[in-house]
Amino acid sequence: MNRTITKFKVFLSLEKEEAWLNRKLDEGLQLFDITGSGIFYHFKKVSNIDKVIQFDYRKFTNKEDFTEYLQFMTDAGWEHIFGRYDSGQQYFISDRSQNLQLFSDIPSLIEREKRIRKGVFGSLSFLVPIYIGLFMSSTDLSVLWQPQKEFLTPGLWEKTGSEFWRAFFFEFPFAFMRILGHLIVPIILIFILVIFLNSYWRIKRYEKLTE
């Protein structure tokens, strides 16, 4: 069985993600799966590293259109290595010797960024009402400057010495999860918003190149 390797990574830049994946490929590690909402990258060891990874951004309403898209990309010389019909980012690999480019001009790059922005805006439109309706009332941002409120061990802060530290470290994992529970949705919203703004700035940068 081929050994697989998992890497934790968070990207706000498509260019940096693509460059990182290709550096890993140069090291003999080829991407084959991404889990955990896009933060756990799974690689397999390969011997043929004379390849290049690029990605597109497309969402499909049905699997039939997705299958046609993949067939078109296969005919063009690309192998699809990751992406679902509704996931947005589609990862492809090809032999470096073919000199293929998914996006050979600035207008096509701008169109990809517009698709990304539209997809991220859809995520924001979906999450914001849920956050307001379900999580706003239970979110307590004061845990950022008063985290001790989530340490529920009776008399913890009156303890001293080794007795305090034993109680503190026992309670810490539970307190951390309670704090994270207050902050997880705001963190996700901020993360999505940053991706949206990055896409907007990339479009402006590409547009300047065409002036």
Side-chain angles (χ1 to χ4, degrees), residues 153-166:
T153 299
L156 172 65
W157 305 107
E158 285 72 43
K159 299 179 186 296
T160 59
S162 59
E163 184 183 10
F164 166 78
W165 289 112
R166 281 197 301 269

Side-chain angles (χ1 to χ4, degrees), residues 18-30:
E18 189 174 280
W20 180 72
L21 290 174
N22 280 294
R23 286 198 301 272
K24 289 300 174 186
L25 187 56
D26 290 339
E27 297 170 8
L29 299 176
Q30 179 182 311

Side-chain angles (χ1 to χ4, degrees), residues 112-166:
R112 183 184 69 172
E113 293 302 327
K114 288 181 178 179
R115 291 194 295 271
I116 293 172
R117 193 169 61 178
K118 181 179 178 181
V120 173
F121 183 76
S123 298
L124 282 172
S125 300
F126 175 74
L127 284 174
V128 169
I130 292 178
Y131 173 62
I132 293 174
L134 300 178
F135 296 100
M136 183 70 86
S137 60
S138 62
T139 297
D140 182 6
L141 297 181
S142 69
V143 297
L144 289 172
W145 55 88
Q146 293 180 308
Q148 66 273 18
K149 295 193 305 183
E150 299 302 324
F151 288 79
L152 304 183
T153 299
L156 172 65
W157 305 107
E158 285 72 43
K159 299 179 186 296
T160 59
S162 59
E163 184 183 10
F164 166 78
W165 289 112
R166 281 197 301 269

Side-chain angles (χ1 to χ4, degrees), residues 42-96:
H42 305 282
F43 299 88
K44 61 182 179 181
K45 288 198 170 184
V46 294
S47 56
N48 181 7
I49 62 173
D50 192 26
K51 295 189 174 186
V52 63
I53 291 175
Q54 296 182 27
F55 53 79
D56 191 8
Y57 188 96
R58 293 182 187 271
K59 286 185 176 183
F60 298 86
T61 56
N62 59 73
K63 294 182 179 180
E64 290 75 17
D65 291 343
F66 182 53
T67 300
E68 290 182 8
Y69 165 73
L70 293 185
Q71 185 60 55
F72 172 80
M73 298 299 290
T74 299
D75 293 342
W78 293 97
E79 176 189 350
H80 187 250
I81 55 176
F82 177 74
R84 300 178 303 277
Y85 78 98
D86 59 349
S87 64
Q89 267 179 240
Q90 310 296 336
Y91 295 75
F92 294 92
I93 192 169
S94 69
D95 290 328
R96 198 180 297 273

